[in-house]
Amino acid sequence: MKRIPTLAAAACLVLLSACGGGDGGSGSANTGDVDPTATLRYAASGGATSFDPHKTVSSSDFLVLSYAYDRLVHVDSEGQPVPGLAESWEFADDMSTLTLNLRQGVEFPDGTPFDAKAVKANLDRAMQDDSITAAQLGAVDSVRVVDDATVELVLGGPAVHLVLSLSDLGGMMVTPSAFDDPQALALAPDGIGRFTLASSQPGARYEFEATENYWDEDGLKLAGFDLQVITDPQTVLNGVGSDQFDCALVSPAMIDPASQIPGANVETRTVLTQTVLFPNQTKSEFGDVRVRQALNHAIDREAVLQAAQEGHGEASTGLFPDDYFVPNDAVSDLMSYDPDRAKELLAEAGLADGFSFTAITLTIPQFVTTAEIIKEQLAAVGIEMTIKALPPADAGVSFLNGDGDAVISGWTGRPDPSMLLTNYFSKAAPQNVSHVEPKGFAEALAAANAEEDTEARGELLDAAQLTVLEHGAVVPITFNSVGTVCTEDVVGYEAPLIGNSEFRGVGITG
């Protein structure tokens, strides 16, 4: 059965509050008698580059920022939109507007009311050209205040993806007065959320305290959240087994060992997070489409999956998993393992003797192993790849600053496929390091975002990714089977489809 994270909720788009609520990712398990004074200690593989959701350079910052910021829309564990700071929403019949009905009685930390004026200030800032969220909200022409509790988004055209876009960085609600000091905002969050940041060691540790009088008592069952960045898998597993951590992120290679920890529970699933090789088309020989296409044919993805992920996950046949509602039918041939074809393409590009480039990757063992396997496979077709491994907090920023010729990294799953496509392939998107847009991409994506029928939209999104992979804009490698290992005292956790957990509604028993 195809996984459908977006338009299975199509019937709910008219008025979502009638479709039931949700807790934005908490599990449905019995929460028992939780200890309201408990702090959950969590080991993750990365931190945040910035706490400014609009001006950060990394969409992966969402993983940490979600603890400190609520969004207008939340998502459940299956990636479906549920009420957040907007209690309900509806599109006009002609899709010319999207009206948000806001939650009332909520305040920002400085006492400013959460109202339509504050939402407009946030969305206007999120749509500024230098905001990472601008491309995600590109369908919005303007934001109008209807009354204190109602905001109307005027759309430039049909945008069925927009509701889920508001569940990401672009929908995070920052205290408007914090906009006056962006440097301070980058260092510490300031907005409506479950937790406030008590202390931090950027890239290493973030200690959060629960927000007093938080509007959703079912979503907050902890007094604190202590996130530590640990990249060594054995250290993580030892920490869970010795009661240093209550929960830890489980990478594919950690799944089997984690299941052996006494008194621990492991929940995993193949998620939308994927490992990719992303070339900078302005560096090395990557300006030639034939060279980029050759990369896709030179890599044996199944071999990477088995060696780097111990078979946990899925070898990529496109930009989306095989059981997702977006098929990979149009692009699978472009990614077939065919070293002879890779050599032919290199020869056509005048590189029969090969070429060399440097790839940045993360110091996380899974990515180092992946890079080493790819290096060996590329060498077989005459391409020499030098690996430069950097800490997670530095790797992405370094690549976006122009270092290295490519990056081997993980792309965090996004609530809607159009968000992934826009983030990396729209010419104006900050994470499109090449600032080159595939021919026909914008038109194909616009067509997909105008289609409300799930199956038909999936086919149109397949056509959009075809423009990307014909262009050789990225080399998808694998999808990850990831999740979380928690001690038996942790209750309410459920592994989410998108790949990151907000631990909303999760508690620790007494």
Side-chain angles (χ1 to χ4, degrees), residues 319 421 425 438 441 463-474:
L319 288 169
L421 294 168
F425 309 117
F441 170 77
Q465 73 161 329
L466 177 61
T467 68
V468 169
L469 291 171
E470 283 182 331
H471 187 70
V474 66

Side-chain angles (χ1 to χ4, degrees), residues 222-395:
L222 298 165
F225 192 89
D226 183 358
L227 186 154
Q228 294 187 49
V229 178
I230 309 290
T231 58
D232 178 63
Q234 193 58 53
T235 300
V236 170
L237 296 179
N238 291 343
V240 175
S242 62
D243 195 37
Q244 293 178 312
F245 302 119
D246 301 296
C247 293
L249 181 70
V250 176
S251 66
M254 296 164 63
I255 292 174
D256 294 336
S259 65
Q260 303 302 312
I261 299 175
N265 300 311
V266 182
E267 284 203 39
T268 64
R269 67 191 298 181
T270 298
V271 298
L272 299 181
T273 296
Q274 61 186 311
T275 299
V276 301
L277 188 159
F278 192 35
N280 184 335
Q281 296 175 40
T282 68
K283 306 291 284 291
S284 185
E285 304 292 340
F286 295 136
D288 191 313
V289 64
R290 294 165 294 188
V291 174
R292 303 193 301 272
Q293 291 172 341
L295 293 177
N296 264 308
H297 288 301
I299 294 176
D300 182 348
R301 294 164 175 83
E302 187 64 35
V304 175
L305 179 71
Q306 297 302 323
Q309 300 177 207
E310 297 188 1
H312 293 296
E314 181 181 308
S316 298
T317 58
L319 288 169
F320 306 100
D322 283 339
D323 62 349
Y324 198 56
F325 83 101
V326 181
N328 293 321
D329 299 341
V331 301
S332 58
D333 288 347
L334 298 173
M335 296 175 50
S336 62
Y337 177 49
D338 189 345
D340 289 337
R341 178 57 180 155
K343 292 177 182 178
E344 290 175 1
L345 286 164
L346 291 173
E348 291 173 12
L351 297 170
D353 295 329
F355 69 99
S356 62
F357 73 98
T358 297
I360 293 172
T361 194
L362 314 181
T363 50
I364 297 171
Q366 175 186 328
F367 290 100
V368 173
T369 301
T370 296
E372 290 172 345
I373 298 167
I374 290 174
K375 176 179 180 176
E376 182 178 343
Q377 293 176 351
L378 292 180
V381 299
I383 301 173
E384 180 183 351
M385 184 180 85
T386 299
I387 301 171
K388 181 179 180 181
L390 296 174
D394 301 329

